[in-house]
Amino acid sequence: MAGFLALVTLTGCGPEQAQAPRARETVKAQPAAFQPVARTVSLSGTVAARVESKLSFRVAGRIAERKVDVGDHVKAGDVLATIETPEQVADVEAAKATLQSAEATLAQAQSSFKRQQQLIASGFTTRSSYDSAEEQLRRAESSVESARADVGTAEEQLALTVLKADADGVITARDAETGQVVSAAQTVFTLAQDGARDVVFDVYEALLADAPASDRAEIRLLADRNVVATAIVREIAPTFDTATGTVRVKMSLIDPPAAMGLGAAVLGSGAWASKEVVTLPWTSLAAGEAGPAVWVIDPATNAVSQRAITVERYKTGEILVSAGLKDGELVVTAGGQFLRAGQIVSISSGEPS
């Protein structure tokens, strides 16, 4: 009988004791607290001219001479390059010869018409002869006008074999060499025109989802951080670069210092409006089924559950959470790599075991 009672006692108590929850992981945790955090973004960019000209010949040919190189400052009208001209010179000479022939024909027609005018006034010629002389004169005059136009066209084509600067500025790129055959409209030089300067940034599209607090930014020269200027947003590209996923933003430099020359590398810093976020150490981050997640502790039972979150942005050693948590919720900040849903944990202020 005593043995039977002992067996009943063990049978009634054993399962409850076996299922009793106990802490299996010791973790560190902190309460979630939403606080306003202002975002300052720094991006690298380059100084560029407000206006750039792609200079090219309007006729095809072989480049005979290149007179400037990258970095040279030129004035409007300066000769930058020439192409070989035998064909254009031959066209000019042929057009001039045609014009001389037409002018000689015109002189004969004028003399014949003048003679017919004198004869018809005296009655020694017929009206048909007079009309024929007049018609020959008109044709000769038309031929001269056409020949003069051909000479002008040939001379214009010859002039187009000389490439000139269309404005004062600096040569920033050279795309052809002496001896190279170029086609009409093929870029030979890029000219950065003197005048206003821009700072060009390639900005990730997500950064433009929220408007900055100001359209002005502080610009510092990377080579010398003491060289500072202010820039204001001038243009945001309506499309993004599919290769890099960035959007080109151009900002006008306001009274740039001389050290910020064309092509200079700069660092631009701008402020965005503050946003309510929870700041957590990076060790809080877990991988959930839907993306970033954290482990949240139930204060009543110390059981953990995984919670999907929205990460506003990542910082060195920290994550800024904008959604998915409530003020005061206890978030596991260390030791969560081996947790499972419903697991009971103990909280320690020291290193997790």
Side-chain angles (χ1 to χ4, degrees), residues 58-76:
R58 292 171 59 185
V59 293
R62 184 187 301 276
I63 296 179
E65 186 178 11
R66 176 174 57 79
K67 295 181 177 292
V68 296
D69 207 341
V70 175
D72 291 347
H73 189 275
V74 298
K75 297 288 187 181

Side-chain angles (χ1 to χ4, degrees), residues 94-140:
K96 287 182 176 179
T98 301
L99 175 60
Q100 290 176 352
S101 175
E103 288 175 337
T105 301
L106 176 61
Q108 292 179 351
Q110 287 173 335
S111 177
S112 177
F113 180 68
K114 185 177 181 180
R115 184 168 57 256
Q116 287 295 322
Q117 281 181 317
Q118 293 173 347
L119 291 174
I120 200 170
S122 303
F124 294 106
T125 188
T126 63
R127 186 69 188 181
S128 62
S129 297
Y130 173 83
D131 291 342
S132 176
E134 185 178 22
E135 183 181 353
Q136 290 177 0
L137 175 62
R138 299 293 177 258
R139 284 203 299 265

Side-chain angles (χ1 to χ4, degrees), residues 2 24 42 49 102 182 197 200 251 294 296 320:
R24 297 189 180 182
S42 295
V182 294
R197 294 285 183 261
V200 181
M251 304 187 72
V294 295
V296 177
L320 275 59

Side-chain angles (χ1 to χ4, degrees), residues 9 15 23 44 68 78 86 128 134 147 185 219 235 280 288 301 303 316 324 331 352:
T9 302
S44 60
V68 296
D78 285 355
S128 62
E134 185 178 22
I219 308 298
E235 177 185 308
L280 297 172
T301 62
T316 303
V331 181

Side-chain angles (χ1 to χ4, degrees), residues 184-209:
Q186 178 181 337
T187 300
V188 178
F189 294 106
T190 300
L191 175 67
Q193 296 185 15
D194 289 345
R197 294 285 183 261
D198 284 346
V199 182
V200 181
F201 298 100
D202 290 321
V203 180
Y204 285 105
E205 186 182 20
L207 191 60
L208 300 176

Side-chain angles (χ1 to χ4, degrees), residues 25-256:
E25 291 290 343
T26 301
V27 298
K28 293 180 66 176
Q30 74 176 54
F34 279 91
Q35 295 179 338
V37 174
R39 179 173 52 167
T40 300
V41 178
S42 295
L43 296 170
S44 60
T46 55
V47 178
R50 173 74 58 81
V51 179
E52 283 191 341
S53 302
K54 301 292 185 180
L55 305 180
S56 59
F57 290 102
R58 292 171 59 185
V59 293
R62 184 187 301 276
I63 296 179
E65 186 178 11
R66 176 174 57 79
K67 295 181 177 292
V68 296
D69 207 341
V70 175
D72 291 347
H73 189 275
V74 298
K75 297 288 187 181
D78 285 355
V79 176
L80 308 181
T82 60
I83 60 177
E84 296 176 356
T85 60
E87 181 180 347
Q88 288 78 12
V89 170
D91 289 343
V92 171
E93 292 176 349
K96 287 182 176 179
T98 301
L99 175 60
Q100 290 176 352
S101 175
E103 288 175 337
T105 301
L106 176 61
Q108 292 179 351
Q110 287 173 335
S111 177
S112 177
F113 180 68
K114 185 177 181 180
R115 184 168 57 256
Q116 287 295 322
Q117 281 181 317
Q118 293 173 347
L119 291 174
I120 200 170
S122 303
F124 294 106
T125 188
T126 63
R127 186 69 188 181
S128 62
S129 297
Y130 173 83
D131 291 342
S132 176
E134 185 178 22
E135 183 181 353
Q136 290 177 0
L137 175 62
R138 299 293 177 258
R139 284 203 299 265
E141 289 174 341
S142 296
S143 296
V144 169
E145 291 179 1
S146 177
R148 285 174 179 167
D150 290 342
V151 170
T153 300
E155 289 177 339
E156 181 181 358
Q157 291 296 306
L158 179 60
L160 293 178
T161 62
V162 178
L163 181 61
K164 297 181 179 181
D166 60 354
D168 296 354
V170 177
I171 301 297
T172 57
R174 182 188 72 249
D175 299 300
E177 295 291 346
T178 302
Q180 180 178 338
V181 175
V182 294
S183 59
Q186 178 181 337
T187 300
V188 178
F189 294 106
T190 300
L191 175 67
Q193 296 185 15
D194 289 345
R197 294 285 183 261
D198 284 346
V199 182
V200 181
F201 298 100
D202 290 321
V203 180
Y204 285 105
E205 186 182 20
L207 191 60
L208 300 176
D210 298 324
S214 171
D215 59 356
R216 292 175 179 262
E218 180 185 77
I219 308 298
R220 291 182 179 271
L221 192 65
L222 277 176
D224 183 357
R225 300 295 179 88
N226 294 321
V227 179
V228 185
T230 301
I232 185 170
V233 175
R234 182 178 69 84
E235 177 185 308
I236 299 177
T239 59
F240 69 95
D241 188 330
T242 55
T244 62
T246 58
V247 176
R248 177 146 293 189
V249 176
K250 295 180 180 180
M251 304 187 72
S252 298
L253 275 172
I254 301 173
D255 298 327

